[in-house]
Amino acid sequence: MERLCGPKLPFWVANQTLHTDSPDLPECFQLSVLSWLPCVYLWLACPPYLFYLQRNNKGYIMMSILNRVKTVFGLVLWIVCWTDLFSTFHELRQGDTKPPIYFVTPLVVGMTMLLALFLIQFERLKGVQSSGILFIFWFLSVLCAIVPFRSKILQAKYQSEISDKLRFTTFYFYFSLIVAELILSCFNEKPPLFSNIDTDPNPCPQSTAGFLSTMTFWWFTSMAIKGYKNPLEAKDLWSLNKRDSSEVVVPKLLREWEVEQAKAHSSPEEVEVLLSKQKDPKKPSFLRSLIKAFGPYFLIGSAFKLLQDLITFVNPQLLKLLISFTKQKGAPTWWGYALAFLMFFAAFLQTLILHQHFQYCFVTGMRLRTSIIGAIYRKSLIITNAAKRKSTVGEIVNLMSVDAQRFMDLTTFLNMLWSAPLQIILALYFLWQNLGPSVLAGVAVMILLIPLNAAIAVKTRAYQVEQMQYKDARIKLMNEILNGIKVLKLYAWESSFKDKVLEIRQKELNVLRKTAYLGALSTMAWTSAPFLVALTTFAVYVTVDKNNILDAEKAFVSLSLFNILRFPLNMFPQVISSIIQASVSLKRIQDFLSHDELDPDINLMVPQGSLLAVVGHVGCGKSSLVSALLGEMEKMEGDISIRGSVAYVPQQAWIQNATLRDNILFGKAYNEQKYRCCLEACALTQDLEVLPGGDLTEIGEKGINLSGGQRQRVSLARALYNEADVYLLDDPLSAVDAHVAKHIFDHVIGPEGALQGKTRILVTHGISFLPQVDNIVVMVEGRVSEMGSYQELLKQNGAFAEFLRNYSLEDIIEEDEATEALIDDEEDFPDDALSNHTDMVDNEPVVNEAKRHKVFWEYAKAVGPLLSLFICFLYGCQSAAAIGANVWLSQWTNDAAQNVTQENVSMRVGVYAALGMAQGLLVMVSSFTLAMGNIGAARKLHYALLDNKFHTPQSFFDTTPIGRVINRFSKDIYVIDEALPSTVLMFLGTFFSSLSTMIVIVTSTPIFAVVIAPLAFIYIFVQRFYVATSRQLKRLESVSRSPIYSHFSETVTGTSIIRAYGRHNAFVLMSDMKVDENQKSYYPGIVSNRWLGVRIEFIGNCIVLFAALFAVIGKDKLNPGLVGLSVSYALLVTMSLNWMVRMTSDLESNIVAVERVKEYSETKTEAPWEVEDKKPSSDWPSQGNVEFSDYSVRYREGLELVLKNLTLSVKGGEKIGIVGRTGAGKSSMTLCLFRLLEAAGGEITIDGVKISEIGLHDLRSKLTIIPQEPVLFSGSLRMNLDPFEKYSDGEVWKALELSHLNKFVSNQPAKLELECSEGGENLSVGQRQLVCLARALLRKTRILILDEATAAIDLETDDLIQSTIRTQFEDCTVFTIAHRLNTIMDYTRVLVLDKGQIAEFDTPTNLLFRRGIFYGMAKDAGLAQ
């Protein structure tokens, strides 16, 4: 340095800088280091930055006033610097030789100003609106210029005259200009020309945010305020940044993946021959394509992480200096202030850098998810059927939801892979410096705790799996119960099923309790770990060597280092396990993306414009023929070609969750006339009148609110509207009734229909249409056995003729039934199944502030008010123990100052250990008590919900979508079982730890109490904004997530149709839009956490600053132990403050579940099941007389009466048939007898007992019904017949024998224990009907109600049931709701209802004679002339 500055200007003078109350830096240091620092930074940062700008050009920005001012100031700065340079030359000419530094520095600074000037313009051309690089440069320049600024003023003060007037003036010019530049660089330029900001309705402010705004996430504030004022809606969300959207992200990944695939396929042959040992072909690596696509961006985040890790270790070192400063009596005070501000600055820098790192990681994670979902979706549209069979729809949806999610979660932690070891190594290095080898004892304890935590984690995982199984079983059972709730009510079986649910629930809670034991253990390990480590380290340190003295520096610096260690040590195992999970996911995704794809090019010889029918027995390969034509089957050999476009109608209609009109248009433009013709031809016009919204009615998933026939007709209308050249119709007529089928054949398919002149291939079972087709193909066992026209095939008398003989008989019978089926067709529609907009997504009730406290109180009540208080008390004790231990430690370190160490070492260690152990135990007890309280609450809440739902009247289930009720039992109960307890645990933990920090700091430096109020105010302010907004964002995110998956599973089931109609790209776009829509609410969610983090950590950093400042101010009164204590506590507080807000937010989101469960536990209940004082006698009803007197009923409040003033009496043993057109109130009569509908007026009496006065179970268990739809529950057949196990096996077999099931059951290996699958899927419909008959035979009461099944049932079963009833229920009163009149022609009397009133009531013969309504019906059915 002497060469540069000359002998007169020394570089460093210790007395002038450190050891004085008014420090100053020597001129040489000012001129060299301080002036060069910003310059060196800018020249180093420039090349990579220029490279980056070349790559990312955003379009240029117009020259603005701001830009011009910046440029002018830059020029003036350059002139000012070079004025100095020229004046030095001038002095040289005068003969006044200056040291070289006076030449070098102005030259360097001037050149740098030119570089800055160049950057200002270059950035403008590349569209940078606010430059971080230049901001930091100006900031550094100002920072470095502050020292000469002060020292020049001081010199002027002490000297009579300023020696170097010119340089004095230029410097202050220079200073004011760089301050101006710094201020100007805080402002933003206008967005570049032609950028999409102008066109976007709601652009994300991030793209235009300045450097400072980006670093502190200030640009998010507008959304936080909006969400606080009123609930956010989807329209308030910002558009997704272009660079995060599907259209950019997905192709990026697919390009890399294609490169990988090409590499794998193109290995040259010679090499293969040489390396023939390696048989397996090289697999394309999905991981490599992910890294290539998203690696570079992620690495920026990693760089931030590295910086942050290094800065983390600055604060313990500063703490060390601060403590040693408090020990030195004569040290100048400015040291202390400098240290305090340095601590604050380091912490603040760390905050900013950490959140930048998180932002990069989360955005990478988000892009990964988008791209993986996009890739899977695109692949699922083109994989072959063989590949599709390998993975079910559920599995593929899982790839999207679970596996893509895993990648997203992994990216946040991935950097811990290298960062955790780095932090551990650094921490150990500093600890070793501090305490020497004793550290190893502490490290040993840490390492021993790892297997313990791992073991707990493994065990917890196992319990979770077990609990999931119980949960699934419970939800499955609940689903069946809710679907069959009507039957349960009719049979009075509720209590049996309630016990079944509670039994599963009990098992579930037992597993939860075990998990809670483990949880308490792991919480204890996690809380006590740092303490145990400190204890062993300190104990070993003091006992190893007599000379080792534990003073405040060593103790508290070590403590803060141990606290740093805690995070990486605990994270590391988690990262490893999530990497293992992600690798499994990776393999699954890679396998799926490597499946074979279809070749969509195909060329059949069917004469153009002809109609070809394909017939054959079940399973002979008719549908496969159609698939082959679509190119969906694997081709073994041969080839197929189709000329022209294709329209396809599959056997199972595929309906999208969209409006009816969209389902028919299927992406084509709307043409009113053509559309109306299609509807007319497909007989859909009448149906539209039934639907509440006409053709704009929203159709539910899989078309749930359409009947089977309607779905099929919509599918047909879609094909018709899509004018193609070739029509493939796979049995479209099977699902519709005969008369409709005829209409459709005549108007659409047949020779006179809308499709005449097109090539049509029709697979059919209907024989009646065959004479009208051009050609017929007969298939037998997958081969074409005959082909020709109807007449030719009849002449051949081969397979076709036999086929006709088998079928034609049935066809004739079907015709008859069809007319009657027609009458009852519309009964499929209860008024409410068709709301105008089917409510797919369960809307969460918005909890308002006043109600929220009530909900918390409800939950505390469920836990138990006293227990709740006790839990808080335990947490208080635990914090007290922790504070006690640390206060004791600070006392112990003060021994060092008084030199009384050796005598009471053992006492110090002992008490420290005791306090720490007490804390550990209290942690365990408190978290366990809490878990017990939570489980108790979960049990109570679930029981109340279940009990209420079994007592809820039928009308509730008719008007509420089942999904909504199931949601309460699954999602909300899950939250109460699992999410809520852990949230409460974390909340209490962080709350008490923040509280104890405040207490410690206030006790050591009471003046700190002054700052608590303003800081707390800011904290609560930020917290309220965040909680309100983040909760809305979470809600929007979960609402927008399900459409992705439902759209996807819909697509997978309809791939062949989407392909046939060539709608592939449109569907990909739809999926992308749904994903982007979801990410649109996810992205602000991530940013809200960053926004919160920066603000809350800033408050934490202020606490550190004030704790240190007040320690410096009160230095003379405080001992080093207390300073160490209060500052090391303050360093910890940021983490717990941050988590406390997050937990408050989670707590408020999760507490909603309690409210939702509560809401459904308090719905109105039906009458009591048993009324003690009105119990009928055990043999009631002995005769079976039924009387209606002036009886009226309505379905629900506010609807019309369905039965109006019925009066009739039926003697015991009479057989009554009830008939009437649809909606006449036939079914309502049965519901009234069972009191599923309560009377609106009048009475029903059975054997003299008024049924409205007795308990529901007493009534329902004495009546028997054979319902219209046979409902079976999953479980054994025995359970389905007799859930209460009232009857002996003999009686059960007898019932089976009478219901003609005994042969079937005795052939089963399991006999009565035969497992029925859900809904009895493994029995045929007829068998299920017979099971219901067997139930009736077992109960055998005096009154039987038979609600006849409509056309679905086969005649044989029907006859069996009728004959059994005639023989077995001879002496009982029987009411039959008849759809086919021939069953009731021999009944005692027939009741004809019309519009809810009795039209006719007499014997069948008399009624036929009277020629009234009944005669008309009989005539239609061909039973009367």
Side-chain angles (χ1 to χ4, degrees), residues 1333-1347:
L1333 175 62
R1335 282 178 189 162
L1337 289 163
L1338 259 185
R1339 283 177 89 137
K1340 193 81 189 315
T1341 55
R1342 300 292 305 195
I1343 299 177
L1344 170 73
I1345 291 102
L1346 169 65
D1347 192 348

Side-chain angles (χ1 to χ4, degrees), residues 153-172:
I153 288 179
L154 285 176
Q155 278 172 10
K157 208 167 107 182
Y158 295 127
Q159 297 168 357
S160 52
E161 185 195 12
I162 300 167
S163 52
D164 193 342
K165 287 202 178 68
L166 175 76
R167 285 199 179 77
F168 189 82
T169 331
T170 54
F171 175 75
Y172 284 105

Side-chain angles (χ1 to χ4, degrees), residues 127-393:
V128 178
Q129 287 175 271
S130 164
S131 161
I133 297 276
L134 282 175
F135 177 84
I136 297 175
F137 170 68
W138 297 122
F139 181 71
L140 278 174
S141 303
V142 171
L143 211 60
C144 294
I146 287 175
V147 178
F149 181 86
R150 176 173 167 271
S151 73
K152 282 198 182 344
I153 288 179
L154 285 176
Q155 278 172 10
K157 208 167 107 182
Y158 295 127
Q159 297 168 357
S160 52
E161 185 195 12
I162 300 167
S163 52
D164 193 342
K165 287 202 178 68
L166 175 76
R167 285 199 179 77
F168 189 82
T169 331
T170 54
F171 175 75
Y172 284 105
F173 253 126
Y174 167 80
F175 187 77
S176 47
L177 282 170
I178 56 177
V179 171
E181 284 280 22
L182 176 64
I183 293 168
L184 287 175
S185 66
C186 293
F187 294 107
N188 270 6
E189 289 284 0
K190 290 207 275 306
L193 286 181
F194 316 119
S195 68
N196 53 356
I197 303 296
D198 320 324
T199 53
D200 198 335
N202 195 0
C204 179
Q206 184 194 5
S207 46
T208 55
F211 173 70
L212 282 178
S213 173
T214 309
M215 291 306 282
T216 56
F217 296 96
W218 190 260
W219 54 270
F220 179 77
T221 312
S222 63
M223 169 129 5
I225 293 171
K226 195 182 272 177
Y228 178 71
K229 283 185 182 155
N230 27 30
L232 290 173
E233 292 164 34
K235 64 174 194 313
D236 300 327
L237 298 172
W238 297 313
S239 316
L240 207 55
N241 291 328
K242 190 83 170 145
R243 51 178 185 273
D244 300 329
S245 64
S246 298
E247 64 174 302
V248 174
V249 173
V250 183
K252 197 169 170 185
L253 176 66
L254 289 177
R255 275 199 301 275
E256 297 297 345
W257 174 237
E258 275 157 20
V259 170
E260 276 299 313
Q261 280 179 309
K263 253 200 280 184
H265 294 315
S266 67
S267 39
E269 283 95 58
E270 300 94 277
V271 182
E272 269 180 29
V273 180
L274 292 174
L275 303 175
S276 55
K277 294 185 193 68
Q278 305 166 321
K279 283 272 162 43
D280 51 332
K282 198 171 119 231
K283 274 191 174 167
S285 148
F286 186 56
L287 181 65
R288 199 172 304 133
S289 31
L290 281 177
I291 292 172
K292 277 187 189 158
F294 305 112
Y297 185 80
F298 183 71
L299 280 176
I300 305 178
S302 307
F304 278 119
K305 180 71 180 151
L306 180 66
L307 260 179
Q308 190 254 341
D309 282 351
L310 298 176
I311 299 176
T312 310
F313 290 96
V314 173
N315 265 336
Q317 301 309 312
L318 292 174
L319 176 64
K320 191 176 187 173
L321 293 171
L322 185 70
I323 295 176
S324 66
F325 161 77
T326 47
K327 283 190 200 162
Q328 295 174 15
K329 285 289 168 266
T333 14
W334 66 268
W335 282 13
Y337 294 135
L339 282 172
F341 278 104
L342 270 176
M343 273 180 132
F344 172 73
F345 189 67
F348 186 59
L349 197 60
Q350 189 186 338
T351 295
L352 291 182
I353 289 175
L354 176 68
H355 288 292
Q356 284 306 315
H357 153 244
F358 274 141
Q359 178 69 3
Y360 276 96
C361 290
F362 273 107
V363 170
T364 311
M366 183 172 120
R367 288 179 185 173
L368 273 181
R369 175 167 175 248
T370 301
S371 61
I372 289 173
I373 291 182
I376 290 172
Y377 189 88
R378 286 160 172 74
K379 182 75 183 185
S380 70
L381 279 174
I382 50 177
I383 56 173
T384 57
N385 277 8
K388 205 194 275 179
R389 280 197 292 274
K390 279 187 203 141
S391 31
T392 61
V393 179

Side-chain angles (χ1 to χ4, degrees), residues 963-981:
R964 209 181 278 185
V965 186
I966 285 284
N967 225 346
R968 297 290 185 278
F969 278 101
S970 55
K971 187 155 164 272
D972 295 325
I973 291 288
Y974 157 78
V975 168
I976 291 171
D977 282 351
E978 294 176 52
L980 203 65

Side-chain angles (χ1 to χ4, degrees), residues 353-616:
I353 289 175
L354 176 68
H355 288 292
Q356 284 306 315
H357 153 244
F358 274 141
Q359 178 69 3
Y360 276 96
C361 290
F362 273 107
V363 170
T364 311
M366 183 172 120
R367 288 179 185 173
L368 273 181
R369 175 167 175 248
T370 301
S371 61
I372 289 173
I373 291 182
I376 290 172
Y377 189 88
R378 286 160 172 74
K379 182 75 183 185
S380 70
L381 279 174
I382 50 177
I383 56 173
T384 57
N385 277 8
K388 205 194 275 179
R389 280 197 292 274
K390 279 187 203 141
S391 31
T392 61
V393 179
E395 278 170 8
I396 306 179
V397 173
N398 263 352
L399 283 180
M400 265 196 181
S401 53
V402 182
D403 296 320
Q405 193 65 40
R406 274 186 189 159
F407 270 97
M408 193 156 151
D409 297 341
L410 179 67
T411 46
T412 29
F413 302 135
L414 197 53
N415 282 317
M416 288 306 285
L417 253 188
W418 56 266
S419 150
L422 173 74
Q423 286 186 28
I424 292 170
I425 291 167
L426 282 173
L428 289 180
Y429 167 73
F430 286 120
L431 278 166
W432 185 281
Q433 276 196 332
N434 222 3
L435 299 173
S438 327
V439 175
L440 295 176
V443 175
V445 173
M446 280 194 173
I447 291 170
L448 284 176
L449 282 171
I450 292 178
L452 173 72
N453 278 341
I456 290 177
V458 169
K459 200 77 185 125
T460 314
R461 179 62 64 63
Y463 283 147
Q464 269 175 342
V465 171
E466 189 183 349
Q467 194 218 341
M468 284 302 284
Q469 287 165 348
Y470 290 135
K471 190 178 122 199
D472 291 347
R474 178 170 61 81
I475 301 304
K476 183 167 165 258
L477 182 60
M478 278 314 304
N479 201 2
E480 288 192 58
I481 287 175
L482 292 171
N483 276 314
I485 189 85
K486 188 167 177 179
V487 176
L488 288 185
K489 285 186 182 305
L490 292 171
Y491 288 143
W493 279 359
E494 294 104 329
S495 41
S496 151
F497 278 81
K498 184 168 142 190
D499 294 342
K500 282 178 72 172
V501 175
L502 288 175
E503 186 188 343
I504 300 179
R505 177 70 178 157
Q506 190 51 51
K507 289 183 191 159
E508 198 182 353
L509 289 174
N510 290 345
V511 178
L512 269 180
R513 184 172 292 114
K514 287 186 210 160
T515 317
Y517 284 118
L518 285 179
L521 260 179
S522 83
T523 313
M524 179 177 113
W526 160 243
T527 331
S528 314
F531 168 77
L532 283 173
V533 172
L535 172 68
T536 41
T537 310
F538 294 153
V540 170
Y541 180 69
V542 212
T543 43
V544 168
D545 187 348
K546 289 270 190 301
N547 305 334
N548 281 353
I549 292 171
L550 189 68
D551 55 5
E553 256 173 277
K554 290 200 169 72
F556 288 106
V557 173
S558 309
L559 266 185
S560 63
L561 284 167
F562 281 132
N563 280 326
I564 291 176
L565 253 185
R566 190 165 125 179
F567 185 64
L569 270 180
N570 273 290
M571 280 306 297
F572 205 52
Q574 279 185 344
V575 174
I576 301 289
S577 80
S578 80
I579 282 179
I580 291 167
Q581 282 185 345
S583 68
V584 174
S585 296
L586 180 75
K587 187 171 175 341
R588 290 173 45 177
I589 294 175
Q590 187 169 306
D591 290 347
F592 180 75
L593 290 178
S594 309
H595 277 327
D596 295 339
E597 300 177 5
L598 287 175
D599 329 327
D601 317 316
I602 328 176
N603 284 320
L604 136 94
M605 265 319 290
V606 177
Q608 195 175 350
S610 67
L611 166 56
L612 168 77
V614 181
V615 297

